Amino acid sequence: MTAAFVNWSGSLSFTPAERSEPNDEDEVRRLVLRARETGTTVRPVGSGHSSSPLVRTDGVLLSLDRMSGVIGEDGDRATVWAGTKLAELGERLYDAGLAMENLGDVDYQSIAGATATGTHGTGLCFGNLSTQVAGVRLVTGTGETLNVSAEQNPELLPAARLSLGALGVVTQVTLDLHRRFQLHRRAWCAHVDWALDHLAELQHTNRNIDFYWYPRSDLAQIRTMNRTDEPPDERTWSPRRMAGSVPWAELREIQVGPTHRAIPQARDLRFEEIEYMLPSEAFAACFAEVRRRIKERHRRHAGWRVLVRSIAADDIWLSNAYGRPTTTIACLQNTTLPYEEYFQDMEAVFRQYGGRPHWGKKHWLTARDLRPLYPRWDDFRAVRRRLDPDGVFLTPDLARLLEEE
Ligand SMILES: Cc1cc2nc3c(=O)[nH]c(=O)nc-3n(C[C@H](O)[C@H](O)[C@H](O)COP(=O)(O)OP(=O)(O)OC[C@H]3O[C@@H](n4cnc5c(N)ncnc54)[C@H](O)[C@@H]3O)c2cc1C
Protein backbone atom coordinates (compact mmCIF):
# COMPACT_ATOMS: atom_id res chain seq x y z
CA MET A 1 0.00 0.00 0.00
CA THR A 2 1.18 3.53 -0.77
CA ALA A 3 2.48 5.56 2.16
CA ALA A 4 0.31 8.46 3.34
CA PHE A 5 1.47 11.97 2.62
CA VAL A 6 1.56 14.43 5.53
CA ASN A 7 2.52 18.07 5.01
CA TRP A 8 5.03 19.97 7.18
CA SER A 9 2.49 21.31 9.67
CA GLY A 10 0.57 18.03 9.84
CA SER A 11 -2.87 19.49 8.98
CA LEU A 12 -3.01 17.96 5.49
CA SER A 13 -2.81 14.22 5.06
CA PHE A 14 -4.01 11.85 2.36
CA THR A 15 -3.02 8.63 0.68
CA PRO A 16 -2.45 8.86 -3.09
CA ALA A 17 -2.93 5.78 -5.27
CA GLU A 18 0.72 6.03 -6.24
CA ARG A 19 3.84 7.97 -5.26
CA SER A 20 6.42 8.47 -7.93
CA GLU A 21 9.97 9.85 -7.96
CA PRO A 22 11.04 9.93 -11.62
CA ASN A 23 14.74 10.02 -12.45
CA ASP A 24 14.41 12.06 -15.62
CA GLU A 25 12.07 13.99 -17.86
CA ASP A 26 11.23 10.95 -20.01
CA GLU A 27 9.86 9.20 -16.97
CA VAL A 28 7.79 12.29 -16.10
CA ARG A 29 6.39 12.35 -19.62
CA ARG A 30 5.48 8.63 -19.57
CA LEU A 31 3.78 9.08 -16.23
CA VAL A 32 1.69 12.01 -17.43
CA LEU A 33 0.70 10.17 -20.61
CA ARG A 34 -0.34 7.09 -18.62
CA ALA A 35 -2.41 9.24 -16.26
CA ARG A 36 -4.06 10.96 -19.21
CA GLU A 37 -4.98 7.59 -20.76
CA THR A 38 -6.36 6.18 -17.53
CA GLY A 39 -8.13 9.35 -16.38
CA THR A 40 -5.99 9.66 -13.24
CA THR A 41 -4.85 12.96 -11.72
CA VAL A 42 -1.20 13.87 -11.13
CA ARG A 43 -0.03 16.39 -8.56
CA PRO A 44 3.60 17.49 -8.44
CA VAL A 45 4.88 18.01 -4.89
CA GLY A 46 7.99 19.83 -3.66
CA SER A 47 8.92 19.74 0.03
CA GLY A 48 5.30 19.56 1.22
CA HIS A 49 5.53 22.89 3.07
CA SER A 50 2.20 24.21 1.80
CA SER A 51 -0.77 23.77 4.09
CA SER A 52 -3.47 24.48 1.49
CA PRO A 53 -4.50 21.30 -0.35
CA LEU A 54 -2.60 22.07 -3.57
CA VAL A 55 -0.89 18.70 -3.70
CA ARG A 56 -3.79 16.51 -2.49
CA THR A 57 -4.71 13.79 -4.95
CA ASP A 58 -6.16 10.29 -5.00
CA GLY A 59 -4.06 9.71 -8.12
CA VAL A 60 -0.30 10.08 -8.57
CA LEU A 61 1.79 12.23 -6.24
CA LEU A 62 4.93 13.06 -8.16
CA SER A 63 8.11 14.32 -6.49
CA LEU A 64 11.16 15.58 -8.35
CA ASP A 65 13.50 14.92 -5.41
CA ARG A 66 15.72 12.89 -7.75
CA MET A 67 15.88 15.70 -10.29
CA SER A 68 18.01 18.12 -8.30
CA GLY A 69 21.08 20.30 -8.83
CA VAL A 70 22.42 23.04 -11.09
CA ILE A 71 22.34 22.20 -14.79
CA GLY A 72 24.35 25.17 -16.05
CA GLU A 73 25.15 28.87 -15.62
CA ASP A 74 25.34 31.63 -18.17
CA GLY A 75 26.45 34.99 -16.77
CA ASP A 76 23.91 36.05 -14.15
CA ARG A 77 21.52 33.23 -15.04
CA ALA A 78 21.43 29.60 -14.00
CA THR A 79 19.20 26.70 -15.00
CA VAL A 80 18.46 24.20 -12.24
CA TRP A 81 16.46 21.01 -11.87
CA ALA A 82 13.03 21.81 -10.46
CA GLY A 83 13.39 19.47 -7.47
CA THR A 84 16.41 21.37 -6.07
CA LYS A 85 15.86 22.47 -2.47
CA LEU A 86 16.55 26.14 -1.76
CA ALA A 87 19.23 25.34 0.86
CA GLU A 88 21.18 23.21 -1.60
CA LEU A 89 20.59 25.75 -4.37
CA GLY A 90 22.01 28.58 -2.25
CA GLU A 91 25.23 26.65 -1.61
CA ARG A 92 25.70 25.62 -5.25
CA LEU A 93 25.05 29.14 -6.52
CA TYR A 94 27.45 30.54 -3.92
CA ASP A 95 30.15 28.15 -5.18
CA ALA A 96 29.56 29.59 -8.65
CA GLY A 97 29.79 33.20 -7.36
CA LEU A 98 26.03 33.74 -7.68
CA ALA A 99 23.05 34.39 -5.40
CA MET A 100 19.28 34.84 -5.53
CA GLU A 101 18.44 38.49 -4.91
CA ASN A 102 15.97 37.69 -2.15
CA LEU A 103 14.62 34.69 -0.25
CA GLY A 104 11.82 33.81 2.14
CA ASP A 105 12.04 32.98 5.81
CA VAL A 106 13.13 29.35 5.35
CA ASP A 107 15.02 27.37 2.72
CA TYR A 108 13.44 23.91 2.97
CA GLN A 109 11.24 24.34 -0.12
CA SER A 110 12.06 23.12 -3.62
CA ILE A 111 12.61 25.82 -6.22
CA ALA A 112 9.58 24.63 -8.25
CA GLY A 113 7.34 24.47 -5.17
CA ALA A 114 8.43 27.87 -3.82
CA THR A 115 7.93 29.66 -7.13
CA ALA A 116 4.67 27.81 -7.89
CA THR A 117 2.97 29.65 -4.99
CA GLY A 118 4.77 33.02 -5.11
CA THR A 119 6.85 32.44 -1.99
CA HIS A 120 8.28 35.80 -0.94
CA GLY A 121 10.67 37.47 1.46
CA THR A 122 10.55 41.14 2.34
CA GLY A 123 11.82 44.43 0.93
CA LEU A 124 10.18 47.32 -0.91
CA CYS A 125 12.34 46.72 -4.00
CA PHE A 126 11.99 42.94 -4.25
CA GLY A 127 9.31 40.90 -5.91
CA ASN A 128 8.46 37.39 -4.77
CA LEU A 129 10.66 34.45 -5.83
CA SER A 130 8.58 33.87 -8.97
CA THR A 131 9.82 37.23 -10.30
CA GLN A 132 13.33 35.73 -10.35
CA VAL A 133 12.13 33.04 -12.78
CA ALA A 134 13.37 33.84 -16.29
CA GLY A 135 12.01 30.63 -17.77
CA VAL A 136 10.76 27.12 -17.09
CA ARG A 137 10.69 23.81 -18.89
CA LEU A 138 7.59 21.78 -18.25
CA VAL A 139 5.77 18.61 -19.24
CA THR A 140 2.19 19.62 -20.02
CA GLY A 141 -1.01 17.63 -19.57
CA THR A 142 -0.67 16.27 -23.10
CA GLY A 143 2.85 15.00 -22.40
CA GLU A 144 4.44 17.71 -24.52
CA THR A 145 7.71 19.27 -23.30
CA LEU A 146 7.63 23.05 -23.52
CA ASN A 147 10.31 25.66 -22.93
CA VAL A 148 8.83 28.94 -21.75
CA SER A 149 10.95 32.11 -21.61
CA ALA A 150 11.18 35.56 -23.18
CA GLU A 151 12.52 33.80 -26.30
CA GLN A 152 10.40 30.65 -26.44
CA ASN A 153 6.61 30.65 -26.04
CA PRO A 154 6.82 34.10 -24.35
CA GLU A 155 3.02 34.47 -24.24
CA LEU A 156 2.97 31.68 -21.61
CA LEU A 157 5.61 33.22 -19.33
CA PRO A 158 3.31 35.36 -17.09
CA ALA A 159 1.29 32.20 -16.40
CA ALA A 160 4.18 29.73 -16.09
CA ARG A 161 6.28 31.69 -13.56
CA LEU A 162 3.64 31.03 -10.88
CA SER A 163 1.38 28.18 -11.87
CA LEU A 164 0.36 26.21 -8.74
CA GLY A 165 1.43 23.11 -10.67
CA ALA A 166 -1.73 23.52 -12.76
CA LEU A 167 -0.05 23.83 -16.16
CA GLY A 168 2.21 20.81 -15.98
CA VAL A 169 5.21 19.34 -14.20
CA VAL A 170 8.01 21.90 -14.16
CA THR A 171 11.26 20.01 -14.70
CA GLN A 172 13.73 22.90 -14.99
CA VAL A 173 13.77 26.48 -13.78
CA THR A 174 15.99 29.26 -15.16
CA LEU A 175 16.71 31.99 -12.63
CA ASP A 176 17.84 35.59 -12.94
CA LEU A 177 20.61 35.95 -10.35
CA HIS A 178 23.09 38.40 -8.87
CA ARG A 179 26.80 38.14 -8.13
CA ARG A 180 27.01 36.80 -4.59
CA PHE A 181 27.00 39.31 -1.74
CA GLN A 182 26.94 39.54 2.04
CA LEU A 183 24.15 40.75 4.28
CA HIS A 184 24.10 42.16 7.79
CA ARG A 185 21.08 40.84 9.68
CA ARG A 186 20.01 42.74 12.76
CA ALA A 187 17.09 42.29 15.09
CA TRP A 188 15.79 44.30 18.01
CA CYS A 189 12.65 44.65 20.08
CA ALA A 190 10.50 47.73 20.50
CA HIS A 191 6.88 48.55 21.22
CA VAL A 192 4.70 47.78 18.20
CA ASP A 193 3.51 51.40 18.08
CA TRP A 194 7.11 52.43 17.47
CA ALA A 195 7.45 49.86 14.69
CA LEU A 196 4.24 51.08 13.05
CA ASP A 197 5.15 54.77 13.38
CA HIS A 198 8.56 54.15 11.79
CA LEU A 199 7.62 51.50 9.27
CA ALA A 200 7.85 53.68 6.16
CA GLU A 201 11.23 55.06 7.24
CA LEU A 202 12.53 51.60 8.09
CA GLN A 203 11.37 50.29 4.73
CA HIS A 204 13.06 53.09 2.82
CA THR A 205 16.37 52.94 4.68
CA ASN A 206 16.90 49.19 4.82
CA ARG A 207 17.23 46.64 2.03
CA ASN A 208 14.98 44.16 3.84
CA ILE A 209 12.82 44.76 6.87
CA ASP A 210 10.00 42.88 8.55
CA PHE A 211 8.59 42.71 12.03
CA TYR A 212 6.83 40.24 14.27
CA TRP A 213 4.13 41.58 16.56
CA TYR A 214 3.51 39.64 19.77
CA PRO A 215 -0.15 40.32 20.67
CA ARG A 216 0.13 39.46 24.35
CA SER A 217 3.00 41.89 25.13
CA ASP A 218 2.44 44.37 22.26
CA LEU A 219 6.17 44.14 21.56
CA ALA A 220 7.56 43.91 18.05
CA GLN A 221 10.73 42.18 16.94
CA ILE A 222 12.11 44.20 14.04
CA ARG A 223 14.54 42.53 11.66
CA THR A 224 16.59 44.35 9.03
CA MET A 225 19.13 43.25 6.46
CA ASN A 226 21.57 45.37 4.50
CA ARG A 227 24.46 44.65 2.18
CA THR A 228 27.81 44.85 3.87
CA ASP A 229 29.63 45.89 0.72
CA GLU A 230 27.94 49.25 1.07
CA PRO A 231 29.85 51.48 3.50
CA PRO A 232 28.84 50.29 6.98
CA ASP A 233 26.54 52.92 8.42
CA GLU A 234 25.00 52.42 11.80
CA ARG A 235 22.54 55.20 11.00
CA THR A 236 20.75 53.06 8.43
CA TRP A 237 19.39 50.83 11.12
CA SER A 238 19.96 52.22 14.56
CA PRO A 239 16.71 52.72 16.45
CA ARG A 240 18.51 55.43 18.45
CA ARG A 241 18.95 57.66 15.41
CA MET A 242 15.36 57.29 14.35
CA ALA A 243 13.44 57.91 17.50
CA GLY A 244 15.80 59.48 19.98
CA SER A 245 14.70 56.92 22.48
CA VAL A 246 12.80 53.78 21.58
CA PRO A 247 10.57 52.31 24.25
CA TRP A 248 11.85 48.89 25.26
CA ALA A 249 14.42 48.83 22.47
CA GLU A 250 16.83 45.99 22.87
CA LEU A 251 19.28 44.66 20.34
CA ARG A 252 18.74 40.95 19.99
CA GLU A 253 20.96 39.68 17.25
CA ILE A 254 23.53 40.67 14.64
CA GLN A 255 24.58 38.24 12.00
CA VAL A 256 26.67 38.59 8.85
CA GLY A 257 26.64 36.11 6.01
CA PRO A 258 25.91 35.44 2.35
CA THR A 259 22.24 35.88 1.37
CA HIS A 260 21.31 32.20 1.45
CA ARG A 261 22.58 31.86 5.01
CA ALA A 262 21.61 35.28 6.40
CA ILE A 263 17.99 35.41 5.18
CA PRO A 264 16.48 31.96 5.90
CA GLN A 265 16.12 30.87 9.50
CA ALA A 266 15.73 27.42 11.07
CA ARG A 267 12.12 26.68 12.07
CA ASP A 268 11.82 23.76 14.44
CA LEU A 269 8.53 24.63 16.11
CA ARG A 270 5.60 23.60 13.87
CA PHE A 271 2.88 26.13 13.16
CA GLU A 272 -0.17 26.85 11.01
CA GLU A 273 -0.30 30.12 9.14
CA ILE A 274 -2.66 32.37 7.25
CA GLU A 275 -1.08 35.17 5.22
CA TYR A 276 -2.77 37.79 3.09
CA MET A 277 -1.19 40.20 0.63
CA LEU A 278 -2.68 43.68 0.96
CA PRO A 279 -2.38 46.75 -1.22
CA SER A 280 0.26 48.68 0.76
CA GLU A 281 -1.97 51.72 1.15
CA ALA A 282 -4.51 49.56 3.02
CA PHE A 283 -1.98 48.09 5.43
CA ALA A 284 -2.20 50.59 8.32
CA ALA A 285 -6.00 50.41 8.59
CA CYS A 286 -6.03 46.64 8.13
CA PHE A 287 -3.36 46.04 10.75
CA ALA A 288 -5.22 48.29 13.21
CA GLU A 289 -8.36 46.17 12.73
CA VAL A 290 -6.41 42.90 13.02
CA ARG A 291 -4.85 44.17 16.23
CA ARG A 292 -8.18 45.28 17.66
CA ARG A 293 -9.87 41.96 16.85
CA ILE A 294 -7.07 39.81 18.19
CA LYS A 295 -7.07 41.73 21.44
CA GLU A 296 -10.86 41.73 21.75
CA ARG A 297 -11.72 38.24 20.51
CA HIS A 298 -8.65 36.04 20.25
CA ARG A 299 -6.26 37.17 22.94
CA ARG A 300 -6.68 33.95 24.88
CA HIS A 301 -6.23 31.50 22.04
CA ALA A 302 -3.97 33.42 19.62
CA GLY A 303 -0.90 31.52 20.69
CA TRP A 304 1.73 33.14 18.57
CA ARG A 305 2.95 36.11 16.60
CA VAL A 306 1.89 38.15 13.59
CA LEU A 307 4.39 38.85 10.80
CA VAL A 308 4.48 41.97 8.58
CA ARG A 309 6.50 42.08 5.34
CA SER A 310 6.53 43.92 2.00
CA ILE A 311 6.73 42.80 -1.65
CA ALA A 312 7.27 44.85 -4.82
CA ALA A 313 4.53 44.83 -7.47
CA ASP A 314 4.91 42.46 -10.43
CA ASP A 315 3.16 41.41 -13.64
CA ILE A 316 2.75 37.67 -13.07
CA TRP A 317 -0.90 36.76 -13.62
CA LEU A 318 -1.54 34.73 -10.46
CA SER A 319 0.96 36.54 -8.27
CA ASN A 320 -0.67 37.94 -5.19
CA ALA A 321 1.50 41.06 -5.65
CA TYR A 322 0.19 41.46 -9.23
CA GLY A 323 0.00 45.14 -10.16
CA ARG A 324 0.37 46.58 -6.68
CA PRO A 325 3.03 47.33 -4.06
CA THR A 326 2.12 44.89 -1.34
CA THR A 327 2.33 44.62 2.41
CA THR A 328 1.59 41.26 3.96
CA ILE A 329 0.14 40.24 7.30
CA ALA A 330 0.56 36.65 8.49
CA CYS A 331 -0.95 35.15 11.64
CA LEU A 332 0.86 32.12 13.04
CA GLN A 333 -0.58 29.58 15.44
CA ASN A 334 1.10 26.62 17.15
CA THR A 335 -0.05 23.36 15.60
CA THR A 336 -1.17 22.15 19.04
CA LEU A 337 -3.84 24.89 19.19
CA PRO A 338 -7.06 25.30 17.16
CA TYR A 339 -6.67 27.75 14.29
CA GLU A 340 -9.87 27.71 12.17
CA GLU A 341 -12.02 30.20 14.07
CA TYR A 342 -9.11 32.60 14.61
CA PHE A 343 -7.89 32.44 10.99
CA GLN A 344 -11.38 32.71 9.50
CA ASP A 345 -12.02 35.84 11.54
CA MET A 346 -8.72 37.31 10.32
CA GLU A 347 -9.56 36.32 6.74
CA ALA A 348 -12.76 38.38 6.94
CA VAL A 349 -10.68 41.44 7.89
CA PHE A 350 -8.06 40.81 5.20
CA ARG A 351 -10.78 40.48 2.55
CA GLN A 352 -12.40 43.72 3.63
CA TYR A 353 -9.13 45.48 2.73
CA GLY A 354 -8.69 43.85 -0.68
CA GLY A 355 -6.27 41.14 0.45
CA ARG A 356 -5.23 38.18 -1.68
CA PRO A 357 -4.38 34.93 0.14
CA HIS A 358 -0.98 33.22 0.03
CA TRP A 359 -1.59 30.23 -2.25
CA GLY A 360 0.35 27.84 -0.03
CA LYS A 361 -1.11 28.80 3.36
CA LYS A 362 -4.51 28.43 5.00
CA HIS A 363 -7.42 30.23 3.35
CA TRP A 364 -11.02 29.47 2.50
CA LEU A 365 -11.38 31.15 -0.91
CA THR A 366 -12.61 29.49 -4.10
CA ALA A 367 -12.52 30.52 -7.77
CA ARG A 368 -15.63 32.67 -7.34
CA ASP A 369 -13.89 34.80 -4.67
CA LEU A 370 -10.49 34.79 -6.33
CA ARG A 371 -11.43 35.75 -9.87
CA PRO A 372 -12.29 39.41 -9.07
CA LEU A 373 -8.93 39.78 -7.28
CA TYR A 374 -6.82 38.90 -10.33
CA PRO A 375 -7.21 41.03 -13.49
CA ARG A 376 -5.62 38.30 -15.68
CA TRP A 377 -7.53 35.38 -14.09
CA ASP A 378 -9.29 34.37 -17.30
CA ASP A 379 -6.03 34.52 -19.26
CA PHE A 380 -4.45 32.09 -16.80
CA ARG A 381 -7.45 29.78 -17.11
CA ALA A 382 -7.22 29.86 -20.90
CA VAL A 383 -3.54 28.82 -20.71
CA ARG A 384 -4.40 26.09 -18.21
CA ARG A 385 -7.08 24.67 -20.52
CA ARG A 386 -4.72 24.83 -23.47
CA LEU A 387 -1.84 23.04 -21.70
CA ASP A 388 -3.97 20.55 -19.77
CA PRO A 389 -7.15 20.04 -21.83
CA ASP A 390 -8.06 16.75 -20.10
CA GLY A 391 -7.48 18.00 -16.57
CA VAL A 392 -4.63 15.64 -15.69
CA PHE A 393 -3.48 18.15 -13.03
CA LEU A 394 -6.98 19.33 -12.11
CA THR A 395 -7.87 17.61 -8.84
CA PRO A 396 -11.16 18.59 -7.15
CA ASP A 397 -9.17 21.00 -4.92
CA LEU A 398 -7.59 22.69 -7.94
CA ALA A 399 -10.95 22.84 -9.71
CA ARG A 400 -12.50 24.60 -6.71
CA LEU A 401 -9.61 27.05 -6.74
CA LEU A 402 -9.41 27.77 -10.46
CA GLU A 403 -12.66 26.86 -12.17
CA GLU A 404 -16.03 28.29 -11.18
CA GLU A 405 -18.09 25.44 -12.57
C1 LIG B 1 8.10 26.82 8.00
C2 LIG B 1 7.58 27.49 6.76
C3 LIG B 1 8.09 28.73 6.39
C4 LIG B 1 7.59 29.38 5.26
N1 LIG B 1 8.09 30.61 4.95
C5 LIG B 1 7.57 31.29 3.89
C6 LIG B 1 8.04 32.59 3.55
O1 LIG B 1 8.94 33.13 4.20
N2 LIG B 1 7.45 33.23 2.51
C7 LIG B 1 6.44 32.67 1.79
O2 LIG B 1 5.92 33.30 0.87
N3 LIG B 1 6.00 31.41 2.06
C8 LIG B 1 6.56 30.73 3.07
N4 LIG B 1 6.11 29.46 3.35
C9 LIG B 1 5.20 28.82 2.40
C10 LIG B 1 5.97 27.98 1.37
O3 LIG B 1 7.08 28.70 0.86
C11 LIG B 1 5.07 27.61 0.18
O4 LIG B 1 3.96 26.93 0.65
C12 LIG B 1 5.83 26.80 -0.88
O5 LIG B 1 5.01 26.64 -2.00
C13 LIG B 1 6.28 25.44 -0.37
O6 LIG B 1 7.20 24.87 -1.28
P1 LIG B 1 7.33 23.30 -1.40
O7 LIG B 1 8.58 22.99 -2.15
O8 LIG B 1 7.18 22.68 -0.08
O9 LIG B 1 6.10 22.96 -2.35
P2 LIG B 1 4.78 22.11 -2.03
O10 LIG B 1 4.13 22.70 -0.85
O11 LIG B 1 5.11 20.69 -2.02
O12 LIG B 1 3.94 22.47 -3.34
C14 LIG B 1 3.52 23.79 -3.57
C15 LIG B 1 2.99 23.93 -4.98
O13 LIG B 1 4.06 23.75 -5.89
C16 LIG B 1 3.67 22.84 -6.90
N5 LIG B 1 4.86 22.14 -7.39
C17 LIG B 1 5.84 21.57 -6.65
N6 LIG B 1 6.76 21.04 -7.47
C18 LIG B 1 6.35 21.28 -8.73
C19 LIG B 1 6.86 20.96 -10.03
N7 LIG B 1 8.00 20.28 -10.20
N8 LIG B 1 6.16 21.36 -11.12
C20 LIG B 1 5.00 22.05 -10.97
N9 LIG B 1 4.48 22.36 -9.78
C21 LIG B 1 5.15 21.99 -8.69
C22 LIG B 1 2.69 21.92 -6.19
O14 LIG B 1 1.87 21.22 -7.10
C23 LIG B 1 1.92 22.92 -5.34
O15 LIG B 1 0.93 23.54 -6.12
C24 LIG B 1 6.58 28.77 4.47
C25 LIG B 1 6.08 27.52 4.83
C26 LIG B 1 6.57 26.88 5.97
C27 LIG B 1 6.00 25.56 6.36
Side-chain angles (χ1 to χ4, degrees), residues 270 333-338:
R270 306 272 155 151
Q333 177 80 321
N334 309 48
T335 50
T336 49
L337 297 171

Side-chain angles (χ1 to χ4, degrees), residues 207-232:
R207 182 184 195 273
N208 312 94
I209 176 254
D210 59 22
F211 75 83
Y212 280 113
W213 167 52
Y214 294 85
R216 289 187 187 172
S217 64
D218 244 357
L219 286 178
Q221 185 189 167
I222 300 143
R223 308 183 297 177
T224 61
M225 278 174 283
N226 290 290
R227 289 179 72 131
T228 57
D229 50 4
E230 290 158 5

Side-chain angles (χ1 to χ4, degrees), residues 192-314:
V192 69
D193 286 337
W194 183 89
L196 292 167
D197 288 349
H198 292 84
L199 187 59
E201 188 179 354
L202 285 163
Q203 286 173 331
H204 282 97
T205 53
N206 291 283
R207 182 184 195 273
N208 312 94
I209 176 254
D210 59 22
F211 75 83
Y212 280 113
W213 167 52
Y214 294 85
R216 289 187 187 172
S217 64
D218 244 357
L219 286 178
Q221 185 189 167
I222 300 143
R223 308 183 297 177
T224 61
M225 278 174 283
N226 290 290
R227 289 179 72 131
T228 57
D229 50 4
E230 290 158 5
D233 183 356
E234 291 296 284
R235 287 170 306 169
T236 59
W237 67 274
S238 166
R240 274 179 294 280
R241 179 190 71 96
M242 295 178 55
S245 70
V246 185
W248 299 290
E250 175 198 333
L251 196 59
R252 280 282 171 84
E253 174 198 348
I254 300 183
Q255 185 192 344
V256 176
T259 38
H260 68 287
R261 292 185 207 140
I263 303 179
Q265 303 291 292
R267 294 273 170 251
D268 300 324
L269 209 56
R270 306 272 155 151
F271 55 85
E272 289 298 345
E273 188 174 357
I274 182 170
E275 182 173 41
Y276 261 70
M277 320 297 167
L278 298 147
S280 286
E281 66 273 13
F283 164 73
C286 183
F287 187 85
E289 180 60 14
V290 164
R291 190 175 169 192
R292 193 185 64 75
R293 275 209 203 185
I294 290 181
K295 282 178 175 292
E296 275 180 23
R297 300 186 192 171
H298 305 287
R299 198 181 187 118
R300 284 181 43 228
H301 57 271
W304 217 1
R305 51 199 184 178
V306 175
L307 174 60
V308 172
R309 296 185 275 188
S310 54
I311 319 173
D314 64 52

Side-chain angles (χ1 to χ4, degrees), residues 71-195:
I71 299 167
E73 302 123 34
D74 182 10
D76 286 350
R77 277 202 173 160
T79 298
V80 306
W81 289 111
T84 314
K85 301 293 189 295
L86 294 182
E88 163 80 6
L89 179 61
E91 293 298 329
R92 296 291 75 80
L93 293 178
Y94 184 79
D95 293 344
L98 296 165
M100 291 181 73
E101 75 168 1
N102 208 15
L103 286 161
D105 214 35
V106 297
D107 58 8
Y108 309 119
Q109 308 95 318
S110 65
I111 186 66
T115 54
T117 63
T119 294
H120 65 96
T122 189
L124 280 189
C125 301
F126 306 106
N128 59 33
L129 270 56
S130 312
T131 64
Q132 299 175 46
V133 173
V136 296
R137 184 172 161 88
L138 78 165
V139 175
T140 70
T142 57
E144 189 188 353
T145 304
L146 269 187
N147 289 305
V148 179
S149 66
E151 293 77 35
Q152 292 173 283
N153 302 300
E155 75 286 1
L156 301 178
L157 193 58
R161 292 165 98 190
L162 191 169
S163 67
L164 309 173
L167 306 182
V169 182
V170 173
T171 56
Q172 299 180 10
V173 181
T174 300
L175 295 164
D176 278 326
L177 300 164
H178 286 244
R179 305 317 294 173
R180 71 184 191 195
F181 55 96
Q182 299 252 111
L183 288 174
H184 249 168
R185 167 188 272 276
R186 297 172 173 105
W188 72 92
C189 278
H191 194 275
V192 69
D193 286 337
W194 183 89

Side-chain angles (χ1 to χ4, degrees), residues 32 48 78 123 136 142 175 181 191 281 339 350 355-356 363 381 402:
V32 169
V136 296
T142 57
L175 295 164
F181 55 96
H191 194 275
E281 66 273 13
Y339 65 86
F350 296 143
R356 296 170 177 153
H363 71 88
R381 281 207 317 186
L402 296 174

